[in-house]
Amino acid sequence: MYNKYIKYFLVSILFSSSLFSAKVTNDFWKKGLDFETYLKKYKISKDIINLMDKDDAQLIAEINPNRRFYEMVASNGVLLQTLIPIGEELQLHLFRTPRGYKVELIPIAYQKDTFVALLSIDQTPHSDIIKKVKNRKLANEFTRLMKHSVNFRSIQKNDKLAIVYDQKMRLGQPIGIPDIKVAMVESHATKHYVFKHTDGKYYDENGKELVKKYMRKPLNHIRITSPFTNRRWHPILHRYKAHLGVDFGARRGTPILAAADGKVIFSGWMGGYGNVIKIKHSDGYVTLYAHQSRRKAKVGQRVKKGQVIGFVGSTGRSTGPHLHFGLYKNGRPINPMSMVKFSSKGLVGKGKRAFLKRKRRYTKIINKIFEENRPSYVWNTVQERQVSPRMKNYYKKIGW
Ligand SMILES: [Zn+2]
């Protein structure tokens, strides 16, 4: 479905220009291909990158070889447009204008809905969610979270489960990992819950953290200067910005520490990110440490959690010494803060009180669904994400 959307976008622009006959093709971005080399192929000056906003230019380093990009090339071989996905919600748009090529970031359209899944178990929670809700990622996410709070082998036929979750949808299809807010299993007349708190972490009904394999801080002392965001509307610049990692301010030369055990899969220069080290961990996680003044770890090297892998610097497109710390799950950027452990205390004081309040609210919601035995359905009304007026007109045209 996503493919179709991109094609419509390209083709509609083609009709409006109608200068050439052109062909739209899509392919996976080749591993190791950098954007400058791609520009060279079409004889486009790399200066267009320097005209971009510094933060946007940095995102070029986020082009992922595992994802599909789209090209529209005129019959005479001239490139008219390219669309390359960046993170979950934006795409890099390279296009030809009468005054030369331009490159910008534009949003990928989606809607976010809240859903409820309520079902009684025939076989296993995992297989039943796939069969009845038709969402494999929801089944995986539910199992990942619930396995800490309930013994899956003790679950019997006719036990019940309920999940309240947010899901991004594109043209009627779920995209990305579902965001579970609260989930419950009733087994042997006992209800087991997991709750997502505002810190992005999951807790049981007593406020105990559920996912144990957290990463450590990549610096001994951290000061966040820029948070993670998949897509944020910038009210002054009037466009979308993304920051696919967390920036920590630190002095040049501060040691950078591996967030978890793993193997170094990249140590070198990576466009706007400058000197970068990437470490592969278990369960499909990869961490990235950018703008280093000096890299210490080598490709292929195994590193231990907390081991020094390099030093803070300001290489690449950076305005001052800091560490840009990225986290990827199966190749997609996610918020690193959801996996980093900051203290061993768990929820205390204000944080604990906020959790209990949130817990009461979500317990009420999920129990109401449970008692009324409502079938799975869209829980609240469709909430459209903010889109730029230009894109809005475009969506209207294609019948959104
Ligand atoms: Zn950054």
Side-chain angles (χ1 to χ4, degrees):
M1 293 307 265
Y2 174 42
N3 302 3
K4 223 186 247 168
Y5 154 65
I6 298 256
K7 273 180 202 159
Y8 285 146
F9 181 51
L10 291 170
V11 171
S12 70
I13 283 176
L14 172 69
F15 285 147
S16 62
S17 64
S18 69
L19 288 168
F20 308 94
S21 69
K23 212 171 122 190
V24 175
T25 55
N26 69 78
D27 200 357
F28 289 102
W29 190 264
K30 283 206 177 52
K31 207 174 172 187
L33 174 66
D34 66 71
F35 191 62
E36 288 186 16
T37 312
Y38 176 79
L39 293 177
K40 217 182 267 168
K41 181 181 157 195
Y42 289 106
K43 301 187 177 61
I44 302 167
S45 164
K46 65 179 184 189
D47 291 348
I48 63 165
I49 301 172
N50 299 330
L51 294 174
M52 289 175 85
D53 169 271
K54 216 170 195 175
D55 296 340
D56 289 355
Q58 224 183 64
L59 288 166
I60 289 171
E62 291 286 345
I63 297 176
N64 184 334
N66 299 315
R67 299 182 68 182
R68 227 171 253 286
F69 77 106
Y70 295 78
E71 259 184 349
M72 185 166 70
V73 180
S75 51
N76 60 1
V78 171
L79 178 75
L80 299 178
Q81 284 195 65
T82 307
L83 283 170
I84 311 163
I86 298 280
E88 286 287 320
E89 303 186 11
L90 291 176
Q91 50 196 340
L92 201 64
H93 181 211
L94 169 70
F95 60 107
R96 194 181 142 95
T97 76
R99 272 159 288 132
Y101 284 94
K102 270 194 178 155
V103 61
E104 62 176 6
L105 279 166
I106 59 170
I108 296 173
Y110 73 85
Q111 295 164 286
K112 194 161 92 178
D113 300 335
T114 302
F115 290 87
V116 168
L118 174 68
L119 43 105
S120 52
I121 293 155
D122 292 332
Q123 286 170 313
T124 67
H126 193 267
S127 63
D128 283 319
I129 293 170
I130 293 173
K131 204 166 77 198
K132 294 170 184 173
V133 190
K134 299 189 172 35
N135 190 332
R136 180 174 290 274
K137 282 180 182 156
L138 182 69
N140 294 345
E141 193 64 358
F142 176 84
T143 309
R144 180 179 81 88
L145 300 172
M146 261 307 177
K147 71 178 176 206
H148 301 279
S149 126
V150 59
N151 178 4
F152 272 53
R153 263 175 297 184
S154 74
I155 293 176
Q156 293 172 322
K157 196 173 156 71
N158 298 327
D159 280 349
K160 277 170 133 189
L161 68 85
I163 314 168
V164 176
Y165 63 104
D166 281 357
Q167 176 73 62
K168 287 179 197 160
M169 305 288 289
R170 188 182 293 138
L171 298 169
Q173 297 293 310
I175 53 155
I177 298 168
D179 183 14
I180 295 179
K181 301 292 183 189
V182 55
M184 177 173 72
V185 172
E186 191 182 51
S187 178
H188 301 281
T190 310
K191 289 171 175 171
H192 306 268
Y193 298 87
V194 295
F195 299 92
K196 187 180 192 183
H197 193 34
T198 46
D199 58 6
K201 297 190 170 101
Y202 285 92
Y203 297 87
D204 69 6
E205 51 263 59
N206 302 314
K208 200 176 111 230
E209 284 184 41
L210 288 174
V211 183
K212 291 287 166 54
K213 272 171 73 187
Y214 282 121
M215 298 182 165
R216 61 147 294 142
K217 300 176 288 184
L219 300 172
N220 271 326
H221 301 282
I222 59 158
R223 177 171 58 88
I224 297 171
T225 52
S226 181
F228 175 95
T229 166
N230 256 319
R231 176 167 95 174
R232 184 181 58 210
W233 177 250
H234 197 289
I236 295 154
L237 297 173
H238 276 275
R239 55 192 178 78
Y240 285 98
K241 307 246 310 172
H243 185 232
L244 302 176
V246 177
D247 287 349
F248 299 114
R251 254 183 242 156
R252 187 184 305 270
T254 306
I256 299 167
L257 315 170
D261 291 0
K263 191 179 165 187
V264 177
I265 54 166
F266 183 87
S267 177
W269 190 267
M270 209 175 143
Y273 283 159
N275 270 322
V276 165
I277 281 178
K278 278 166 102 172
I279 303 174
K280 192 178 176 198
H281 310 283
S282 55
D283 301 327
Y285 288 105
V286 167
T287 49
L288 175 149
Y289 313 75
H291 308 302
Q292 301 188 29
S293 57
R294 190 158 64 84
R295 289 174 281 110
K296 202 175 172 210
K298 307 250 179 320
V299 174
Q301 189 182 333
R302 296 207 168 270
V303 290
K304 287 268 163 219
K305 187 175 188 170
Q307 187 177 331
V308 177
I309 53 159
F311 302 92
V312 169
S314 188
T315 53
R317 292 176 194 275
S318 163
T319 43
H322 73 281
L323 170 67
H324 171 99
F325 176 56
L327 175 66
Y328 302 79
K329 167 96 176 165
N330 301 327
R332 302 295 171 98
I334 58 171
N335 188 351
M337 305 314 271
S338 64
M339 280 295 288
V340 172
K341 193 161 186 90
F342 293 100
S343 81
S344 53
K345 286 185 209 131
L347 287 174
V348 287
K350 229 186 187 177
K352 177 98 182 205
R353 283 196 295 279
F355 169 77
L356 292 174
K357 201 172 154 200
R358 198 176 156 85
K359 182 191 114 173
R360 276 195 297 275
R361 195 174 126 225
Y362 276 103
T363 308
K364 219 187 253 174
I365 291 170
I366 204 157
N367 277 309
K368 191 156 191 268
I369 293 157
F370 214 70
E371 277 147 29
E372 293 176 2
N373 202 19
R374 297 193 211 163
S376 301
Y377 76 121
V378 179
W379 179 42
N380 64 5
T381 53
V382 172
Q383 175 203 342
E384 222 179 292
R385 293 287 295 229
Q386 193 186 12
V387 291
S388 71
R390 207 187 87 208
M391 290 305 284
K392 221 170 210 165
N393 284 336
Y394 162 68
Y395 297 144
K396 250 188 214 151
K397 243 187 268 166
I398 61 162
W400 264 67

Short mmCIF file of all heavy atoms in Angstrom, two decimals, residues 55 58 226-227 243-248 273 290-291 322-325, ligand 1:
data_model
loop_
_atom_site.label_atom_id
_atom_site.label_comp_id
_atom_site.label_asym_id
_atom_site.label_seq_id
_atom_site.Cartn_x
_atom_site.Cartn_y
_atom_site.Cartn_z
N ASP A 55 20.74 20.13 10.79
CA ASP A 55 20.11 18.93 11.39
C ASP A 55 19.55 18.01 10.32
O ASP A 55 19.64 16.80 10.42
CB ASP A 55 18.97 19.33 12.34
CG ASP A 55 19.48 20.11 13.53
OD1 ASP A 55 20.69 20.03 13.81
OD2 ASP A 55 18.67 20.82 14.15
N GLN A 58 22.27 16.14 8.59
CA GLN A 58 22.75 15.05 9.43
C GLN A 58 21.94 13.77 9.21
O GLN A 58 22.46 12.67 9.27
CB GLN A 58 22.61 15.48 10.89
CG GLN A 58 23.79 15.15 11.72
CD GLN A 58 23.57 15.54 13.16
OE1 GLN A 58 22.71 15.02 13.85
NE2 GLN A 58 24.36 16.48 13.62
N SER A 226 19.37 17.52 23.40
CA SER A 226 18.34 17.39 22.37
C SER A 226 17.73 15.98 22.43
O SER A 226 18.45 14.99 22.34
CB SER A 226 18.98 17.66 20.99
OG SER A 226 18.01 17.56 19.98
N PRO A 227 16.39 15.89 22.59
CA PRO A 227 15.78 14.57 22.74
C PRO A 227 15.51 13.90 21.39
O PRO A 227 15.69 14.50 20.33
CB PRO A 227 14.45 14.90 23.44
CG PRO A 227 14.11 16.27 22.97
CD PRO A 227 15.41 16.97 22.71
N HIS A 243 14.89 14.01 14.89
CA HIS A 243 16.18 13.80 15.53
C HIS A 243 16.19 12.36 16.02
O HIS A 243 15.54 12.04 17.01
CB HIS A 243 16.38 14.79 16.68
CG HIS A 243 17.74 14.69 17.29
ND1 HIS A 243 17.94 14.54 18.63
CD2 HIS A 243 18.96 14.69 16.71
CE1 HIS A 243 19.25 14.46 18.86
NE2 HIS A 243 19.88 14.55 17.70
N LEU A 244 16.90 11.51 15.27
CA LEU A 244 16.77 10.08 15.48
C LEU A 244 17.80 9.55 16.48
O LEU A 244 18.41 8.51 16.28
CB LEU A 244 16.86 9.35 14.14
CG LEU A 244 15.77 9.81 13.14
CD1 LEU A 244 15.94 9.13 11.80
CD2 LEU A 244 14.36 9.57 13.69
N GLY A 245 17.97 10.29 17.56
CA GLY A 245 18.86 9.89 18.64
C GLY A 245 18.74 10.90 19.76
O GLY A 245 17.92 11.82 19.68
N VAL A 246 19.55 10.73 20.81
CA VAL A 246 19.56 11.71 21.89
C VAL A 246 20.94 12.35 21.92
O VAL A 246 21.95 11.66 21.77
CB VAL A 246 19.29 11.02 23.26
CG1 VAL A 246 19.38 12.03 24.40
CG2 VAL A 246 17.93 10.36 23.26
N ASP A 247 20.98 13.68 22.06
CA ASP A 247 22.26 14.37 22.19
C ASP A 247 22.57 14.60 23.66
O ASP A 247 21.71 15.08 24.41
CB ASP A 247 22.22 15.74 21.48
CG ASP A 247 22.25 15.61 19.97
OD1 ASP A 247 22.50 14.49 19.47
OD2 ASP A 247 22.02 16.62 19.28
N PHE A 248 23.79 14.26 24.05
CA PHE A 248 24.27 14.53 25.40
C PHE A 248 25.42 15.52 25.30
O PHE A 248 26.41 15.26 24.61
CB PHE A 248 24.79 13.24 26.05
CG PHE A 248 23.76 12.16 26.19
CD1 PHE A 248 23.88 10.97 25.49
CD2 PHE A 248 22.67 12.32 27.03
CE1 PHE A 248 22.94 9.95 25.63
CE2 PHE A 248 21.73 11.31 27.18
CZ PHE A 248 21.85 10.13 26.48
N TYR A 273 27.24 12.57 10.61
CA TYR A 273 27.51 12.06 11.96
C TYR A 273 28.99 12.02 12.30
O TYR A 273 29.37 11.70 13.42
CB TYR A 273 26.90 10.66 12.13
CG TYR A 273 25.40 10.64 12.34
CD1 TYR A 273 24.66 9.49 12.07
CD2 TYR A 273 24.73 11.75 12.84
CE1 TYR A 273 23.28 9.47 12.27
CE2 TYR A 273 23.36 11.74 13.03
CZ TYR A 273 22.63 10.59 12.75
OH TYR A 273 21.28 10.57 12.95
N ALA A 290 27.94 9.00 17.71
CA ALA A 290 28.39 9.89 16.63
C ALA A 290 29.17 11.11 17.12
O ALA A 290 29.16 11.43 18.30
CB ALA A 290 27.19 10.34 15.80
N HIS A 291 29.83 11.78 16.16
CA HIS A 291 30.60 13.02 16.34
C HIS A 291 31.85 12.85 17.21
O HIS A 291 32.33 13.80 17.82
CB HIS A 291 29.72 14.14 16.95
CG HIS A 291 28.43 14.39 16.24
ND1 HIS A 291 28.37 14.72 14.91
CD2 HIS A 291 27.14 14.33 16.68
CE1 HIS A 291 27.10 14.88 14.56
NE2 HIS A 291 26.33 14.63 15.60
N HIS A 322 29.55 17.08 21.55
CA HIS A 322 28.46 16.35 22.18
C HIS A 322 28.45 14.92 21.66
O HIS A 322 29.08 14.63 20.64
CB HIS A 322 27.10 17.03 21.92
CG HIS A 322 26.57 16.87 20.52
ND1 HIS A 322 27.03 17.62 19.45
CD2 HIS A 322 25.63 16.04 20.00
CE1 HIS A 322 26.39 17.27 18.35
NE2 HIS A 322 25.53 16.31 18.64
N LEU A 323 27.74 14.05 22.35
CA LEU A 323 27.56 12.69 21.86
C LEU A 323 26.15 12.56 21.32
O LEU A 323 25.17 12.84 22.02
CB LEU A 323 27.77 11.67 23.00
CG LEU A 323 27.36 10.22 22.65
CD1 LEU A 323 28.29 9.61 21.59
CD2 LEU A 323 27.34 9.33 23.89
N HIS A 324 26.04 12.16 20.06
CA HIS A 324 24.74 11.78 19.51
C HIS A 324 24.65 10.27 19.67
O HIS A 324 25.45 9.52 19.12
CB HIS A 324 24.63 12.19 18.04
CG HIS A 324 23.42 11.64 17.35
ND1 HIS A 324 22.27 12.37 17.14
CD2 HIS A 324 23.16 10.40 16.84
CE1 HIS A 324 21.37 11.61 16.52
NE2 HIS A 324 21.89 10.40 16.33
N PHE A 325 23.67 9.84 20.46
CA PHE A 325 23.51 8.42 20.79
C PHE A 325 22.24 7.89 20.15
O PHE A 325 21.14 8.38 20.43
CB PHE A 325 23.46 8.29 22.33
CG PHE A 325 23.22 6.90 22.84
CD1 PHE A 325 24.06 5.85 22.48
CD2 PHE A 325 22.17 6.64 23.71
CE1 PHE A 325 23.84 4.56 22.97
CE2 PHE A 325 21.94 5.37 24.21
CZ PHE A 325 22.78 4.32 23.84
ZN ZN B 1 22.02 14.41 17.48
#
